[in-house]
Amino acid sequence: MTGSLRSNRDNFYAILNLKDEFGNRKQKSINLHIKDVPGNKRKAEKALRDILTEYEKKHITVYHKDVLFHEYLNVWLDDAKDNLAFNTVEMYSCTIDVHIAPYFKQLNLTLMEVEYCHIKGYYAAKSKTLSVSTLKKHHAIIKQVLRKAVQDGIIETNPANEIRFPKIERFRGSFLTVEEGNHLLEAAKGTPLETAIIFAMMYGLRRSEIAGLKWSAIDLANDLFTVQHTVTKFKTEIAKDSTKNKSSHRVLPLNRDVKAYLLKLRARQAQDKLILGPGYQDTDYICRWPDGRAMKCDYVSRTFKRFLIKNDLPLIRFHDLRHSCASYMIKMGRSMKEVADWLGHSDISTSMNIYAHIDLDSKKDVAECFNSLLNVEV
């Protein structure tokens, strides 16, 4: 692999001498975004060497015009994954393997043949089973893949740039009434879902936060616990000592009932360990099976619907228990700032956008109170 520097319009460019699979020579120009001013040439030379090393490491060549779009999807992902979080790579890979690649494999289109109508056709087909917000995530992948194809010199323009989606209506999560919430808590007693439901209902924890909750995060002496570790799953299960964002890392107080429950749970798990002995798989996770194995993060979602049907409760998502927690706080007269802090929202506007309809219900009493203060002639 060889290359050289060239200055054009005040910037340094790396000119790479490549060969395609047929042995034909072709040059590729890459803007180094380094100004051609005194003292910068050495910096540009280093950037060129780094690019050449990277290309050789990955055995990159110029892709010929007949490369198939569905095959190029993973070429893009392999190239992009070094700059992405592991769980993001997992999500992209799952989306490609399950949705995008199978659809375009049937069409057997090369990158040169993919047009606006084919991409629109994909969204029309998938819109029968997927939401607009999900399709927008698919579009982000397709758009980036075709952008790389432009950069690699395979196609001249990106046909995905012209796609326009309808405006997404603001999603309103469901929530349980206080009576339904108490019914749920009662029905959950003694079941594998009990711990998850308690922390979702009373603290609004996300599924990943519940699955990642450890005994080491519980401070029983000071009646506190810290949300700091999460477990998520796409293709594989990913445990990490970080939360969705900085504000999701939060310290919350244990109330009297939850503390009593945790003390009872810890004693039961200690008894399980004593009974099973060497057969017990000791972990620090709170949500675990009697043999000590940590509960898989997707178990709750897979079994929650059946649990609701069995106990004659409204069919809601497990995540809607988080919405229920927020609705209870608003009914208790707590401010949106308190709701945002409790749930770990990065901005109070997030809480306002999601729970404005609940907050409006709580303000109806205020509107009625004006009748005792001001008279309106009718």
Side-chain angles (χ1 to χ4, degrees), residues 31-177:
N31 189 347
L32 298 178
H33 299 288
I34 299 174
K35 293 291 184 181
D36 184 5
V37 295
N40 269 1
K41 187 172 183 180
R42 185 171 296 178
K43 183 178 179 182
E45 289 172 342
K46 182 181 182 304
L48 171 63
R49 289 195 300 272
D50 290 343
I51 290 174
L52 291 173
T53 300
E54 186 68 17
Y55 266 66
E56 288 175 344
K57 183 177 70 175
K58 293 186 176 181
H59 304 289
I60 295 177
T61 60
V62 170
Y63 296 94
H64 65 90
K65 305 293 184 181
D66 295 328
V67 65
L68 294 171
F69 177 70
H70 72 270
E71 294 176 345
Y72 192 74
L73 291 164
N74 284 313
V75 172
W76 164 79
L77 184 60
D78 186 61
D79 184 66
K81 65 184 180 183
D82 290 343
N83 297 316
L84 299 172
F86 183 72
N87 57 328
T88 302
V89 174
E90 289 270 298
M91 180 182 67
Y92 284 173
S93 179
C94 187
T95 300
I96 289 171
D97 292 347
V98 175
H99 295 286
I100 306 175
Y103 178 88
F104 283 96
K105 185 176 182 179
Q106 291 180 340
L107 298 180
N108 200 38
L109 296 170
T110 67
L111 276 165
M112 291 285 290
E113 293 171 332
V114 174
E115 297 178 359
Y116 172 88
C117 61
H118 301 120
I119 302 171
K120 286 289 288 184
Y122 170 77
Y123 298 138
K126 290 295 180 178
S127 65
K128 298 173 183 177
T129 55
L130 301 177
S131 67
V132 174
S133 60
T134 298
L135 289 180
K136 281 195 170 184
K137 294 175 183 177
H138 290 206
H139 180 60
I141 295 174
I142 292 174
K143 194 172 181 179
Q144 290 181 70
V145 170
L146 292 171
R147 183 185 301 137
K148 174 174 169 54
V150 173
Q151 293 171 345
D152 283 344
I154 304 174
I155 57 178
E156 293 184 2
T157 59
N158 187 341
N161 286 341
E162 305 304 318
I163 302 292
R164 295 292 179 268
F165 284 93
K167 185 177 180 181
I168 300 176
E169 292 186 12
R170 182 174 296 163
F171 175 77
R172 288 189 176 187
S174 302
F175 57 90
L176 300 177
T177 65

Side-chain angles (χ1 to χ4, degrees), residues 1-12:
M1 180 75 65
T2 61
S4 59
L5 285 179
R6 181 180 298 167
S7 178
N8 185 17
R9 295 180 183 175
D10 298 328
N11 279 337
F12 280 110

